[in-house]
Amino acid sequence: LAFPALAFAYSAGAPANMCSSPPGTPGHGSEFQDGTGGYSIVVKDADGAAVTEVTPGQAYTVEVTGASFKGGLIHASGGTLAAGTDAKMTGACVTHASSAAK
């Protein structure tokens, strides 16, 4: 006899309470994890060049690469975010807008 683990999914994006400062605890049965998880996050300037420092008032693109994934959450501790393709704003965070592979 086996019992599956309980998990909650947010196919339309993370709930707004995840965007508090500091961010809330994930509500789908897992905790925050350290490390990259096999993904790379690169911040690029308006010319598409990778940057390691940002300047207030400038626009940047955040690029996530690696295996496909279905959801995520980006929380900036300062500045303003704007949602891109298949993403939406929830509070001051950007999260996935659907459970489709990204």
Side-chain angles (χ1 to χ4, degrees), residues 3-80:
F3 296 96
L6 177 63
F8 299 97
Y10 299 102
S11 61
N17 67 342
M18 291 303 302
C19 292
S20 57
S21 187
T25 302
H28 48 59
S30 64
E31 297 295 321
F32 287 113
Q33 299 174 9
D34 291 330
T36 66
Y39 295 93
S40 174
I41 299 175
V42 178
V43 178
K44 295 182 177 182
D45 64 16
D47 295 324
V51 297
T52 56
E53 294 183 19
V54 296
T55 303
Q58 298 297 311
Y60 299 93
T61 300
V62 178
E63 183 177 276
V64 180
T65 58
S68 67
F69 58 95
K70 292 188 174 186
L73 178 82
I74 296 176
H75 178 266
S77 59
T80 304

